[in-house]
Amino acid sequence: MANRPTIADLARESGVSVATVDRVLNNRLPVREETARRVYEAANTIGYHAAGLIRQRMRQELPEYKVGFLLSKPGHQFYQSFAREIENAVAQAAHFRGIAQVEFCASQSPEDIVAKLRPLAGRCRAVGLVAPDHPAITAEVEELKQKDIPVFSLLSDFAAGVREGYIGVNNRKVGRTAAWMIAKAARKPGKVVIFVGSHRYHGHELREIGFRAFFREEAQEFTVLDTMVNLETRQITHEAMLDLMRRHPDLAGCYVAGGGMEGAIAALRETGIKPPPVMIVNEITPESRAALADNIVTMAISTPLQRLCRELVDLMGHAIERGAANAPGQTFLPFDIYLPENI
């Protein structure tokens, strides 16, 4: 207790008077946000016992905003992780006190997404969602924009020029990276295939473009088969993968560019082909981690969810307070790569 930092120590560390520290602690008189933040940072630095109280006092002065999020596939591990990171990021927002409204839409139908989005947006100051690029979605985003409700596209872009911004990875680079790994890891050239959830998902379309472009430009000894649409479901992917391996014994590689990787992993486990085709999947989950450990999957390309959510919440606060951007933009985040040796 003798070495416990005092108010005088905190004042010295933060470069303000003892009276100012007292005002921050007890909320006696208004203190500039910059000053309060300096006192809070100093309290953390020296281990002052009331650092938590200072943070609470600071947050009481912040505006409160309700922000909405509409995600896909409520039963999927990736989207459950996404929801948790969103809630954490909103709770820790630096410039406002946030209330997160996270909802899910199991359907990929644009009409169903609009039906979920409309009431959610009506309760919130800004929204972010995962959705296909479809005229019905664009029309709804345009209507929300007229009501000063900024909309952010997550993971896959939509309503370009209308939505407030896109935040996610550079999907064309993701596709090229998957193709590069297949070309390098395959024991010999052969046929390769890519699975997409839907041609309406702009992110999947860009991954397919990058995937095909790499083989066309850098690895012409491989043959790229027709793209498979799996609706991001385990069962369709499973059946399609079994059929591909039956019809194409020289299948050298497979890239599941969206959801449904569980079906492809199960198909490779069932056939027991040695060596199996090189498989690249999206996102790190318990299923993909186990498949990496068993050398069923060669590489998983993963979205940095924690960073994405922090950036998204900051952008939402900025849009709410300063209005729509004159030039809606894109925020590209570096993607993570998982291999059997670094899981």
Side-chain angles (χ1 to χ4, degrees):
M1 292 295 291
N3 295 324
R4 189 177 187 179
T6 65
I7 288 183
D9 296 326
L10 181 54
R12 241 186 340 266
E13 181 69 23
S14 55
V16 300
S17 67
V18 170
T20 298
V21 172
D22 180 69
R23 293 205 305 273
V24 172
L25 285 171
N26 297 295
N27 205 25
R28 298 185 193 282
L29 292 170
V31 177
R32 287 191 306 167
E33 180 184 345
E34 179 186 345
T35 301
R37 186 168 298 280
R38 193 159 75 241
V39 173
Y40 170 64
E41 290 171 354
N44 278 326
T45 299
I46 67 173
Y48 188 69
H49 67 278
L53 175 62
I54 297 171
R55 175 174 171 80
Q56 183 180 348
R57 297 288 191 203
M58 289 170 56
R59 293 195 66 78
Q60 285 176 352
E61 304 299 320
L62 297 176
E64 183 177 276
Y65 303 136
K66 189 177 290 186
V67 285
F69 307 87
L70 185 59
L71 307 180
S72 300
K73 298 187 177 299
H76 197 283
Q77 178 74 30
F78 170 75
Y79 284 106
Q80 289 297 323
S81 298
F82 201 170
R84 286 194 296 272
E85 292 296 347
I86 284 172
E87 290 169 350
N88 290 338
V90 171
Q92 297 170 19
H95 302 295
F96 67 94
R97 286 180 292 126
I99 300 173
Q101 300 278 294
V102 182
E103 296 186 5
F104 296 88
C105 184
S107 169
Q108 294 185 9
S109 162
E111 291 74 21
D112 291 342
I113 293 171
V114 169
K116 284 270 193 178
L117 173 62
R118 192 170 291 157
L120 175 65
R123 302 191 302 270
C124 298
R125 296 290 304 274
V127 292
L129 68 150
V130 179
D133 191 24
H134 188 275
I137 304 287
T138 301
E140 183 63 21
V141 173
E142 178 69 49
E143 188 173 326
L144 294 176
K145 185 177 182 179
Q146 296 303 317
K147 297 176 181 177
D148 294 325
I149 300 173
V151 177
F152 292 85
S153 57
L154 313 179
L155 307 182
S156 178
D157 204 1
F158 57 79
V162 180
R163 49 84 177 131
E164 179 67 17
Y166 162 77
I167 181 164
V169 299
N170 184 321
N171 287 298
R172 190 180 64 83
K173 288 186 177 181
V174 168
R176 291 188 68 92
T177 300
W180 180 90
M181 178 56 81
I182 290 174
K184 297 297 182 183
R187 292 180 181 270
K188 61 180 180 180
K191 293 171 182 172
V192 296
V193 67
I194 179 172
F195 285 85
V196 300
S198 165
H199 290 300
R200 279 289 185 181
Y201 277 105
H202 190 246
H204 293 191
E205 181 182 49
L206 288 176
R207 289 175 186 177
E208 180 189 4
I209 289 170
F211 187 82
R212 289 183 173 277
F214 178 87
F215 282 110
R216 184 172 59 247
E217 297 164 10
E218 306 292 343
Q220 296 179 15
E221 64 274 22
F222 289 83
T223 300
V224 183
L225 299 173
D226 289 340
T227 298
M228 308 293 291
V229 177
N230 66 356
L231 304 180
E232 297 197 288
T233 65
R234 177 193 297 256
Q235 187 62 31
I236 292 175
T237 313
H238 178 258
E239 293 172 0
M241 193 68 195
L242 289 174
D243 182 61
L244 280 167
M245 289 189 289
R246 178 182 58 80
R247 292 190 293 112
H248 303 288
D250 60 340
L251 187 69
C254 165
Y255 172 40
V256 184
M261 65 176 169
E262 300 87 355
I265 291 169
L268 286 192
R269 289 191 188 279
E270 286 175 26
T271 59
I273 295 175
K274 300 293 183 184
V278 177
M279 180 178 291
I280 312 299
V281 300
N282 253 31
E283 307 309 342
I284 190 72
T285 67
E287 188 92 20
S288 60
R289 190 181 292 274
L292 282 164
D294 294 339
N295 289 305
I296 298 294
V297 167
T298 304
M299 179 173 72
I301 301 174
S302 181
T303 305
L305 286 179
Q306 186 179 75
R307 181 173 175 182
L308 185 154
C309 293
R310 288 200 306 264
E311 296 264 1
L312 171 61
V313 170
D314 284 346
L315 289 170
M316 283 181 154
H318 187 276
I320 291 169
E321 293 171 356
R322 303 194 182 183
N326 292 327
Q330 296 176 307
T331 301
F332 290 132
L333 304 175
F335 47 87
D336 297 325
I337 289 178
Y338 290 84
L339 303 169
E341 298 304 320
N342 74 344
I343 54 173

